[in-house]
Amino acid sequence: MDEKDEDPDVFDPNIPEEGPSAPPPGWLEDIHGYQGHKGGEDDNPLYPPPPAYNPQPELNRNTLVPNVRVPTVSEDVARDALIKFVESKWRYSSKPARNLTFKELKPITVYRYRLETYTETRTSAWQFESYNGQPVDGPQYGMSPPPWDIPVSMPPRYTDMVEKIRVPHSSFVKLCHKCNGCGRTRCIQCHGRGRKRCSDCYGKGYKRRHRTNQRTSRKTPCFSCSGKGHQRCISCHGNGYKTCSVCHGSQNLLHFIQLTVTWKNNVAHFIPDRQPDFPDKKFEKVTGDPFFVDESVLVYPIQGFPDREICDVTTKLINEHLNRFSTTSRILQQRQTIELVPLTHAYYSYNGKDFSFFVYGVENKVFTPKYPSACSIL
C-alpha cells in the first residue's frame, strides 16, 4: 500500500463501518399479539376480532321514498347562470347570453346514490429512538395488551384521522445495530483515513507544466493539496468517523411497537348514465338535495325505489364494501344517501341558430358544449 494512503494517527480499526439503518432480521423478538414484526419499516395489518353478532338483512324491508318534485329553474335563473359562466371565460362574449331567446327549459330527473363506510384500521411496526436514560415501559410491567384492546379517542364520525400510539410494555433498550454500540461509524467516503486522494493531481502531489513554445515540461507541486497528494475528507472533517446517524452518539436505542390507528370514510358514488350530451364527471363538483338518508352500523340494500338501477347498485356497492373492509378493518358505521341533483337542459336560439346548455347542481353551474360566439383577439 502506498505510504501516502495510510494514516495510523487517524485510522481506528475499532470503529465499525455503517450497518443497516433498520434492525436486521432476528434483531428483535416477537411480542404476543404482534407477531411478524421483525424490524421491518412497513406497518403490518392487525386483523380485527370477529364481531359479537352477525347482522342479517331484514326480510321484506321496503324503503319509504318521499314524493320528490323535480327541481326546475326559471328563464331568469338560467340566463344569469349562463352570463356568470361566460364571464369567467375570457374567450367568450356575454352578448349572446344576454340577448338569446329561450325555446324550452327541460328539467331532468337525476338521482345520485352515495355509500359511506366509516372504518377503523390498526397496524403496527417496530420503531426506535435514541436512548438517553428516559423511562422504559417494558415487559417487567406486564404483558402488552392486544392491539384492538388499546383504548383510543374516536374522532367525529365520518372524519378521516390518523393517531399513533406507543404500545404499553413493549419497550426495551438494546445496543445500536448501526454502530454496534460505539456511538460513531467509520466514514465511508474516506474509509476511516480522514483524507482522500487529491482529485486534481490524482494523488501524485505534483502537476506537469508545459513551457510555452517548448516541448519540455517540469513538475510543480499541486496547489490543491500542497504537494501531499491527498486532501482532508470533507464528509467527516478529517476525523475518519462520523457520529452514528441512528443513535446520534448515545450508543443505545429504545425499541418499541408503535400502533397506528387510521379512521377513514370510504365513499362510493353512482349516477345512472342516461344523458349522453352531459358528462357525468361534472356532477362530482356540485351538491344535490339529499331526500333520503339511511344510517346504521350496517345498511342494507334499498328495495322498492322507483329507479330499479339504484336498487341494483345498492346491493353491488354494499357487498363490495363488506368484502373489502370487514376482514382488515372494523366497520364502525355506514350511511347511504340518495340525492336529487338538479339538471335542466336549456334550449335557445340566437341570430337564427339553435343552441343549448345545461344548468346543474344546487349551485346552478353551467355546461355548454357549444356557444354562439367568441371574442376575437386583434
Side-chain angles (χ1 to χ4, degrees), residues 155-299:
R157 196 168 291 171
Y158 305 111
T159 302
D160 291 352
M161 198 176 97
V162 177
E163 184 175 349
K164 297 182 182 296
I165 304 167
R166 188 171 299 195
V167 174
H169 316 323
S170 67
S171 303
F172 61 89
V173 177
K174 199 166 187 176
L175 286 177
C176 176
H177 55 270
K178 191 176 183 71
C179 65
N180 291 331
C182 291
R184 56 185 184 174
T185 56
R186 193 181 306 167
C187 177
I188 60 174
Q189 298 295 323
C190 64
H191 305 289
R193 295 185 178 91
R195 61 190 187 185
K196 299 174 69 176
R197 186 174 67 171
C198 177
S199 58
D200 282 354
C201 66
Y202 303 103
K204 296 177 181 179
Y206 63 87
K207 288 186 176 181
R208 289 189 177 275
R209 305 289 183 183
H210 292 275
R211 297 181 181 180
T212 306
N213 299 327
Q214 295 185 20
R215 294 184 177 179
T216 59
S217 63
R218 63 187 180 89
K219 298 179 180 179
T220 58
C222 176
F223 177 78
S224 298
C225 63
S226 302
K228 297 178 181 179
H230 57 80
Q231 296 171 311
R232 184 184 184 191
C233 178
I234 299 176
S235 181
C236 66
H237 306 290
N239 295 319
Y241 62 87
K242 289 182 174 182
T243 301
C244 178
S245 60
V246 170
C247 70
H248 306 291
S250 67
Q251 303 179 349
N252 294 296
L253 294 175
L254 176 64
H255 294 267
F256 58 90
I257 293 180
Q258 181 173 269
L259 182 70
T260 301
V261 185
T262 303
W263 292 275
K264 184 174 178 57
N265 191 30
N266 306 275
V267 184
H269 299 272
F270 174 77
I271 291 182
D273 186 10
R274 296 172 186 165
Q275 298 301 321
D277 297 328
F278 184 85
D280 290 340
K281 276 193 163 292
K282 296 289 183 181
F283 287 123
E284 296 177 2
K285 298 182 180 180
V286 296
T287 56
D289 177 21
F291 65 90
F292 169 77
V293 179
D294 178 27
E295 185 172 0
S296 182
V297 175
L298 291 178
V299 296

